[in-house]
Amino acid sequence: MLVGLCGLVGCSDDGTSAGSETAGDSSTTEVGTTTGGPATTGAVPTTGPTTGMDSSSEGATETTSDAPTTGGEPVCGDGNLDAGEACDDGEGNGPGQACKADCTSNVCGDGELGPGEACDNGIDNGRGDACTSECAANVCGDGVVGPGEGCDDGNQVDDDACTNACATIACGDGIVSAEEVCDDGNADDTDACTQACTAATCGDGFVQPGIGEACDAGAANSDHGMCTSMCQVAQCGDGLVWNSDGGTEACDEGANNGTGKTCKGDCTLNVCGDGDPGPGEGCDDGNLDAGDGCSPLCQSEGCGNGIVDPGEGCDDGADGDQNDGCTDLCQPPKCGDGFLQDGEACDAGANNSDSGACTLQCAAATCGDGLVWANVEACDDGPANGDDKACKADCTDNVCGDGFVGPDETCDDGNQNNNDGCTNACKPASCGDGFVQPGEECDDGNQSDTDACLVSCKAATCGDGQTQAGVEECDDGNASDTDACLTSCKAATCGDGKVQAGVEACDDGNLVAGDGCSAGCEFEVNMVCQNPVLLTQADRNASFNDGGATLRCDLADWNNPGPNDWIGPNLWYRFTGAAGTKMPTSPPPEYSCGTHASGWMQGTYPTIQDGIVNRTVCYHWTGNTCLWSNQIQVVNCGSYYVFNLPNVAANCWLRYCGAD
């Protein structure tokens, strides 16, 4: 080693390093590059790190590595990776760290939350669970239906079949789906969106003040009724003749009503003799008397004398020509004088009306003129009429069921059949629309599963898993009578004759004590020992074996070919006489006991102090000593045992064996 060292740093003739003190000197060696190696003879400690040395050279300093240590016992947490350790980060080991306290790696699925994991429920991780198999939280929008989610389509589209809250779409959920015009999530029909998810509109039967409605009688809205087609309360002066639904208006020209007008201020016609000189009247003295200056025709009695008297516009002697510039009323020709002049299509005089056959412009009423002809037209929006508009081309209201798709209607098939693709509400047929279509048992239009019709449009029945309010006490959707809810949808109670598993030991259908099953549905040991059913047939004894010629089966309602002393399930039995005194505790041969599969009891017999105990009966068949099995109960009655024997574990032939 010294030779190698001299080769690196140089030595004097006596072998010491050049520039060093002599061997044995207490001063420090100043070879600036050699430390940490095995000490040479006579060398003293050096300072400074070792640099530049070949690890293969003799005397080179040994370096520290991460290889497992070999000396001493391995210690988890010392920062050294020892044999048997998956990791060791020293003080960095611990809960929630990459390396756990026991030097095992923290991995997804170990039940401990580690770095980069959102959750870790161990074996409960998985698709559809709260924590996925990748240790990510199952959240709404990940495309996997997790706990508490009704659906999860993995997108951010809120108006498809699954909302962004992972709930199935339905009218009233506040999300507008493709079949809905609106959805404000409430049951208020007086705001902008009805609970049928249609936009508030005049004619829907609901009064919506927000859109200016004072009334809404639905299809009964009429410009001649109490509620107009604009959903306003009919009143004199609105320009609409209210002559139905209790209305008594004879006319209504709106702003043209008044004194001297065809329609007076109280919506009565201005007629001769009412004291109000109306259009075409030369006078009106309030009577129809002649000779008082105003004739019964309400004309000045001087008209026709060829002299223009006061109140006359002209006087041509009442020559009968109404188109010569002066009518026989001694007034210039005008619309409303009752005479048909050139340029007029009609003139009914005081009966001219914009709601009648002859308008105030002396034009014949016609659909499309913008005036509603009373008792003939339901509406008239003029150029705005159209079969897809509120007022159709034939001046009838566009209503659901007329065969024309109008405003706010999704469809309109023109019939009153709710069983086709378009309902009477003019919406596409669907479960929940309130109408029963083919394939639906019912449809009450709500989202309740506790009434007579489920949200699946199936009639509520006992056993559907939904508790019908006021009808069922419970409904767990199964056919078990041993849990908390019976198949009759009644809550299981002591005394109902059904043994509730894990709650009742027995249930004989009454609450009478002293009959073997107490009022608290517990077995009364002293009673079960009294008067048990006796099993006495010799062919039940395990020693009986005729190779299957005799066949009996301990199954209720089974048609045994001969007598059988087992009479029904869940009764207390005692083996006696030729049948033996108790059940064997080891398997008899096949075909023993007058059956194919012989039944024997596993375990030991109880003491008197043990009371009622549970035991397993096995059935020996096809070489398997316990091919089938079922539970029984056994009581030590002192000088004999009694057994509570249910139906055997499978269809026949199986039988409980006796032994001596």
Side-chain angles (χ1 to χ4, degrees):
M1 292 177 63
L2 181 60
V3 173
L5 182 62
C6 289
L8 291 172
V9 300
C11 298
S12 63
D13 292 342
D14 59 359
T16 61
S17 300
S20 68
E21 297 298 327
T22 58
D25 196 319
S26 63
S27 63
T28 301
T29 303
E30 296 183 356
V31 179
T33 60
T34 305
T35 62
T40 58
T41 303
V44 294
T46 61
T47 61
T50 302
T51 60
M53 293 186 70
D54 187 343
S55 62
S56 64
S57 301
E58 183 178 359
T61 302
E62 293 183 2
T63 59
T64 301
S65 72
D66 291 332
T69 60
T70 58
E73 293 295 325
V75 177
C76 177
D78 61 2
N80 295 318
L81 186 64
D82 299 320
E85 297 178 344
C87 57
D88 195 329
D89 293 337
E91 294 181 356
N93 291 0
Q97 304 300 318
C99 191
K100 295 190 289 188
D102 60 357
C103 289
T104 59
S105 297
N106 196 319
V107 296
C108 179
D110 58 7
E112 183 175 327
L113 190 67
E117 296 178 348
C119 57
D120 196 326
N121 293 333
I123 62 172
D124 291 328
N125 290 357
R127 181 177 180 86
D129 293 322
C131 191
T132 70
S133 55
E134 291 79 24
C135 289
N138 193 318
V139 297
C140 179
D142 58 10
V144 178
V145 178
E149 296 178 348
C151 59
D152 196 323
D153 54 9
N155 63 41
Q156 295 300 308
V157 179
D158 213 20
D159 61 355
D160 57 7
C162 188
T163 71
N164 290 347
C166 290
T168 54
I169 200 75
C171 179
D173 59 10
I175 300 170
V176 180
S177 67
E179 293 80 18
E180 298 172 344
V181 176
C182 59
D183 196 324
D184 56 6
N186 64 44
D188 186 0
D189 279 322
T190 65
D191 56 10
C193 186
T194 71
Q195 61 180 322
C197 293
T198 58
T201 181
C202 178
D204 59 12
F206 305 110
V207 179
Q208 289 116 357
I211 60 174
E213 294 182 353
C215 61
D216 196 325
N221 286 354
S222 168
D223 285 341
H224 307 294
M226 185 180 297
C227 190
T228 72
S229 60
M230 299 302 292
C231 289
Q232 300 300 317
V233 177
Q235 58 184 346
C236 181
D238 60 8
L240 305 172
V241 180
W242 179 18
N243 56 12
S244 63
D245 294 342
T248 59
E249 295 179 355
C251 60
D252 195 328
E253 302 296 346
N256 289 323
N257 291 355
T259 303
K261 302 296 179 65
T262 302
C263 192
K264 294 190 293 185
D266 61 356
C267 290
T268 60
L269 290 170
N270 195 319
V271 296
C272 180
D274 60 7
D276 182 4
E281 295 178 348
C283 60
D284 196 323
D285 57 3
N287 64 57
L288 299 178
D289 298 334
D292 59 359
C294 187
S295 74
L297 297 176
C298 288
Q299 300 300 323
S300 298
E301 290 183 306
C303 178
N305 59 11
I307 300 170
V308 180
D309 297 314
E312 296 177 348
C314 60
D315 195 326
D316 61 359
D319 59 5
D321 187 355
Q322 313 304 325
N323 279 305
D324 60 0
C326 188
T327 69
D328 288 350
L329 297 176
C330 293
Q331 297 294 333
K334 65 175 182 179
C335 178
D337 59 12
F339 301 113
L340 185 63
Q341 284 101 17
D342 294 338
E344 296 177 345
C346 59
D347 195 326
N351 290 322
N352 284 358
S353 170
D354 281 344
S355 62
C358 190
T359 71
L360 294 176
Q361 301 301 314
C362 289
T366 182
C367 180
D369 59 9
L371 303 172
V372 180
W373 186 0
N375 300 319
V376 177
E377 299 174 345
C379 58
D380 197 326
D381 293 334
N385 288 355
D387 286 342
D388 60 345
K389 303 296 176 59
C391 189
K392 293 185 294 189
D394 61 357
C395 290
T396 58
D397 289 321
N398 197 319
V399 295
C400 180
D402 59 11
F404 298 97
V405 179
D408 300 325
E409 294 179 349
T410 307
C411 60
D412 194 322
D413 55 8
N415 63 43
Q416 295 300 308
N417 184 5
N418 274 318
N419 294 324
D420 54 14
C422 187
T423 69
N424 290 348
C426 290
K427 290 175 65 70
S430 62
C431 178
D433 58 15
F435 304 110
V436 180
Q437 283 95 23
E440 297 178 344
E441 295 178 4
C442 58
D443 194 324
D444 55 8
N446 64 39
Q447 294 298 305
S448 173
D449 265 333
T450 63
D451 55 13
C453 188
L454 306 182
V455 295
S456 60
C457 291
K458 300 292 185 183
T461 58
C462 179
D464 57 17
Q466 306 293 337
T467 302
Q468 189 176 357
V471 178
E472 301 172 339
E473 295 179 4
C474 59
D475 195 324
D476 56 8
N478 64 42
S480 173
D481 268 331
T482 63
D483 55 13
C485 187
L486 305 181
T487 55
S488 60
C489 291
K490 300 289 185 182
T493 59
C494 180
D496 57 18
K498 309 292 184 182
V499 179
Q500 187 176 358
V503 178
E504 300 173 339
C506 60
D507 196 320
D508 56 4
N510 64 52
L511 298 178
V512 177
D515 59 358
C517 187
S518 72
C521 288
E522 297 292 337
F523 281 122
E524 298 168 308
V525 175
N526 62 320
M527 297 303 299
V528 301
C529 289
Q530 299 178 22
N531 302 315
V533 178
L534 301 180
L535 301 177
T536 62
Q537 289 183 209
D539 55 17
R540 185 177 290 276
N541 197 295
S543 63
F544 179 86
N545 191 323
D546 60 3
T550 300
L551 287 177
R552 303 290 185 269
C553 187
D554 294 339
L555 182 66
D557 300 323
W558 187 258
N559 187 18
N560 281 297
N564 191 27
D565 47 9
W566 184 92
I567 61 175
N570 303 317
L571 300 176
W572 289 95
Y573 291 89
R574 175 185 173 184
F575 290 88
T576 186
T581 60
K582 57 184 178 180
M583 292 187 69
T585 55
S586 59
E590 297 174 11
Y591 298 108
S592 297
C593 315
T595 192
H596 281 168
S598 50
W600 60 282
M601 188 185 83
Q602 287 185 333
T604 60
Y605 277 91
T607 65
I608 294 176
Q609 291 75 21
D610 289 335
I612 299 172
V613 299
N614 294 321
R615 292 292 185 265
T616 298
V617 170
C618 287
Y619 298 90
H620 184 190
W621 187 242
T622 63
N624 187 336
T625 59
C626 199
L627 180 61
W628 299 287
S629 65
N630 60 271
Q631 294 294 304
I632 65 168
Q633 292 178 312
V634 185
V635 174
N636 187 330
C637 294
S639 60
Y640 59 91
Y641 297 96
V642 293
F643 304 79
N644 189 298
L645 302 178
N647 284 314
V648 289
N651 274 353
C652 298
W653 305 87
L654 291 80
R655 200 180 193 196
Y656 296 109
C657 289
D660 295 323

